[in-house]
C-alpha cells in the first residue's frame, strides 16, 4: 500500500480561508496542536476562525518534541474531550506529532505548515524523538494527511532561518535517493528520483533569491516554499519506502544524540550530514563529482547562512568522545547508512568527520 499525497491540498495566499468549508465538513470538534511561541498568533487566528464556524475547537501545545510523552498526553486530551480530528499547525515536529496521534486514534489529520522548513505537512511519515530531541525512529503511517493547507500568508510570517533549513532538507532528496535507489527497477521510483533532481536544480537556482526575499523576486519565494513543503513531499509519496534516505539523514540522526544548549533545525543538521555524505562518496566510492557538489552546495549554504560543520552546530567532535558517539549511532542496526551501495565502516565516518572538522577554517 502506498499513500502518495494528502487527499485535498489548498495552496496560495488565501488557502486557509478556502479550506474552511472543507474542514467544517470533515470535523465538528477539532483539536489544534502547536508548539512555538512565534506561531501563537496564527494558532489563535485558526482557533477563532474555527469557533466562528460553530466548531467545538480546542487548542493545545507540545511541551517538548514529537516524543512519546507529548503524544500520550495529547491523546488523553483528545479522548477525554471527544475530539474528532487533529489540526496540526506548526513546523515538522508539530506536524509529525499530529499525524501520528490522529492515526493512532483513527481520526483525520489536517496539516497546516506554518513554515517551509519541512515537507512533513505532506508525508505519511513521523519521526519520533526523545523529549530532549534525540532521534529514536521513523514511523511509516498508513496514509498522508486528509487535508493539507499550505497558506503562503502564514508561511511568510516564519523566520527566514526556517526556509534555509527547508531548502537544505529538500536538497538532500536528490543526493540521498539518487545514490540509494538509482538501481531499483521501478518506474515510479526512477521518476521520483528525476523529480528530486529538478527540485535540486530549482533550489540551487532560486534558493538564494527566495531566502533574500526581495519583492521583485516574489515568484522565486513562492516556488521555493512550495518546492520545500510540497514537491519534496511528492518525491517521498511517489518513491515510497524504496526512495530512501541515506548517510545525510543517518548522520543527522546521530548528531541529535548529543544534547546541546542551542537547538538546531532538522534541515540545518541534515545539510551538514549531506556534506559529510558527499565526502564519504568521494573517499569510498571514488565519486569525482562529489567534490564539485560540495563546492556548489557550500556557495548556497553560505548564502543561506546555514551551518556547514558540526562545530557550527555547537558540538566539538574532538571532546567527550563525541566523534565515536556520532559514528556509533550512524552505524547502528537499521541505520540508513546501510543503504549506501558501497562498503563503508565506522572508521571511515570517523576519518571523514575528523578531516572535515579540521578543515573547517578552509571551507
Ligand atoms: Zn529530512
Amino acid at each position: 500500500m502506498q499513500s502518495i499525497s494528502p487527499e485535498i491540498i489548498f495552496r496560495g495566499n488565501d488557502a486557509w480561508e478556502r479550506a474552511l468549508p472543507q474542514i467544517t465538513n470533515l470535523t465538528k470538534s477539532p483539536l489544534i496542536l502547536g508548539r512555538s511561541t512565534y506561531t501563537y498568533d496564527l494558532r489563535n487566528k485558526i482557533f477563532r476562525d474555527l469557533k466562528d464556524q460553530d466548531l467545538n475547537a480546542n487548542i493545545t501545545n507540545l511541551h517538548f518534541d514529537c516524543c512519546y510523552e507529548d503524544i500520550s498526553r495529547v491523546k488523553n486530551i483528545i479522548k477525554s474531550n471527544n475530539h474528532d480530528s487533529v489540526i496540526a499547525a506548526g513546523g515538522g515536529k508539530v506536524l509529525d506529532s499530529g499525524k501520528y496521534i490522529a492515526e493512532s486514534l483513527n481520526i483525520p489529520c489536517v496539516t497546516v505548515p506554518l513554515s517551509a522548513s519541512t515537507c512533513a505537512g505532506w508525508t505519511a511519515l513521523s519521526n519520533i524523538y526523545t523529549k530532549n530531541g534525540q532521534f529514536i525512529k521513523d514511523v511509516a503511517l498508513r496514509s498522508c494527511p486528509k487535508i493539507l493547507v499550505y497558506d503562503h500568508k502564514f508561511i511568510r510570517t516564519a523566520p527566514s532561518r526556517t526556509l534555509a533549513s527547508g531548502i537544505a532538507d529538500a536538497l538532500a532528496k536528490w543526493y540521498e535517493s539518487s545514490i540509494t535507489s538509482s538501481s531499483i527497477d521501478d518506474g515510479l521510483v526512477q521518476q521520483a528520483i528525476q523529480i528530486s533532481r529538478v527540485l535540486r536544480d530549482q533550489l540551487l537556482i532560486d534558493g538564494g533569491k527566495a531566502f533574500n526575499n526581495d519583492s521583485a523576486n516574489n515568484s522565486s519565494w513562492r516556488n521555493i516554499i512550495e518546492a520545500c513543503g510540497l514537491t519534496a513531499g511528492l518525491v517521498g509519496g511517489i518513491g515510497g519506502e524504496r526512495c530512501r534516505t541515506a548517510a545525510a539523514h543517518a548522520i543527522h540522526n546521530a548528531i541529535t544524540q548529543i544534547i546541546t544548549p542551542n537547538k538546531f533545525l532538522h534541515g540545518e543538521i541534515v545539510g551538514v550530514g549531506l556534506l559529510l555524505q558527499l565526502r564519504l562518496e568521494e573517499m569510498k566510492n571514488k565519486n569525482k563529482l562529489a567534490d564539485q557538489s560540495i563546492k556548489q552546495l557550500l556557495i548556497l549554504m553560505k548564502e543561506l547562512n546555514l551551518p556547514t560543520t558540526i562545530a557550527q552546530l555547537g558540538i566539538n567532535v574532538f571532546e567527550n568522545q563525541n566523534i565515536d558517539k556520532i559514528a556509533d549511532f550512524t552505524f547502528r542496526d537499521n541505520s540508513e547508512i546501510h543503504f549506501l551501495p558501497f562498503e563503508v565502516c565506522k572508521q571511515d565516518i570517523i576519518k571523514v568527520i575528523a578531516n572535515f572538522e579540521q578543515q573547517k577554517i578552509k571551507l
Side-chain angles (χ1 to χ4, degrees):
M1 200 184 73
Q2 191 171 351
S3 178
I4 291 178
S5 82
E7 225 165 271
I8 308 168
I9 298 160
F10 293 91
R11 44 191 276 250
N13 272 330
D14 53 356
W16 170 248
E17 279 72 23
R18 282 186 286 118
L20 268 174
Q22 201 77 42
I23 293 172
T24 312
N25 277 341
L26 178 75
T27 174
K28 296 297 163 227
S29 179
L31 180 72
I32 302 159
L33 183 64
R35 182 169 74 158
S36 159
T37 48
Y38 286 117
T39 54
Y40 176 81
D41 289 345
L42 283 177
R43 286 200 303 281
N44 245 345
K45 174 192 164 41
I46 290 171
F47 175 71
R48 283 195 315 272
D49 287 350
L50 295 172
K51 281 288 198 192
D52 288 346
Q53 303 285 320
D54 287 330
L55 299 187
N56 176 34
N58 224 322
I59 194 159
T60 194
N61 291 332
L62 295 181
H63 291 166
F64 307 104
D65 219 311
C66 182
C67 63
Y68 289 119
E69 288 84 350
D70 269 330
I71 285 168
S72 62
R73 189 179 53 80
V74 176
K75 275 167 77 171
N76 285 335
I77 295 172
I78 293 174
K79 282 193 244 170
S80 54
N81 294 307
N82 284 320
H83 289 297
D84 61 2
S85 72
V86 179
I87 298 184
K93 305 292 170 73
V94 169
L95 302 168
D96 276 4
S97 310
K99 291 183 294 184
Y100 185 94
I101 292 165
E103 174 156 308
S104 59
L105 295 174
N106 238 332
I107 56 177
C109 183
V110 177
T111 48
V112 189
L114 299 182
S115 77
S117 63
T118 171
C119 60
W122 182 294
T123 55
L125 200 69
S126 289
N127 292 335
I128 308 290
Y129 294 82
T130 67
K131 60 184 195 173
N132 297 317
Q134 297 161 294
F135 177 86
I136 301 177
K137 62 174 180 176
D138 287 332
V139 179
L141 304 173
R142 286 190 300 276
S143 66
C144 296
K146 189 87 177 164
I147 302 176
L148 162 60
V149 186
Y150 208 66
D151 192 301
H152 294 189
K153 278 207 307 293
F154 289 179
I155 290 163
R156 205 168 260 291
T157 64
S160 54
R161 181 181 169 190
T162 58
L163 178 60
S165 175
I167 293 172
D169 197 29
L171 277 168
K173 293 269 178 219
W174 159 255
Y175 297 96
E176 292 193 295
S177 69
S178 62
I179 188 146
T180 57
S181 310
S182 58
S183 60
I184 295 176
D185 184 17
D186 178 320
L188 280 188
V189 173
Q190 292 306 319
Q191 287 141 22
I193 297 169
Q194 293 301 339
I195 296 172
S196 75
R197 182 179 52 78
V198 177
L199 173 66
R200 175 206 63 178
D201 290 348
Q202 186 158 28
L203 294 165
L204 287 170
I205 293 165
D206 268 354
K209 278 185 238 160
F211 180 76
N212 295 317
N213 197 14
D214 62 83
S215 50
N217 286 312
N218 208 300
S219 73
S220 302
W221 182 84
R222 208 169 49 233
N223 291 339
I224 294 299
I225 61 149
E226 295 213 320
C228 298
L230 306 181
T231 318
L234 180 67
V235 170
I238 297 179
E241 270 183 6
R242 295 198 293 163
C243 198
R244 283 164 157 162
T245 55
H249 275 80
I251 294 167
H252 158 278
N253 298 341
I255 290 173
T256 66
Q257 302 307 309
I258 298 166
I259 297 169
T260 53
N262 295 321
K263 289 263 171 249
F264 285 83
L265 300 173
H266 173 82
E268 291 174 328
I269 306 173
V270 170
V272 175
L274 183 52
L275 298 175
L276 289 164
Q277 173 183 316
L278 287 162
R279 278 276 177 258
L280 209 52
E281 286 181 45
E282 188 186 18
M283 183 173 97
K284 296 298 292 185
N285 204 29
K286 305 206 173 4
N287 178 354
K288 298 283 177 246
L289 294 175
D291 186 53
Q292 289 177 29
S293 297
I294 290 174
K295 289 186 176 121
Q296 194 177 23
L297 285 173
L298 279 173
I299 293 168
L300 179 64
M301 288 171 77
K302 295 208 161 155
E303 189 177 359
L304 303 183
N305 215 7
L306 281 163
T308 53
T309 62
I310 299 178
Q312 288 172 10
L313 297 170
I315 297 167
N316 182 340
V317 297
F318 304 110
E319 280 176 0
N320 301 328
Q321 294 167 314
N322 282 338
I323 202 164
D324 293 299
K325 289 178 197 162
I326 293 170
D328 280 340
F329 199 88
T330 304
F331 275 88
R332 78 198 195 287
D333 293 346
N334 304 325
S335 168
E336 296 91 332
I337 195 98
H338 304 300
F339 297 145
L340 287 177
F342 52 88
E343 283 289 315
V344 54
C345 68
K346 214 181 106 178
Q347 228 32 55
D348 296 327
I349 189 88
I350 290 178
K351 195 168 152 195
V352 163
I353 292 176
N355 285 342
F356 202 75
E357 295 294 303
Q358 275 156 355
Q359 288 169 17
K360 63 180 181 271
I361 319 281
K362 272 195 270 163
L363 285 172

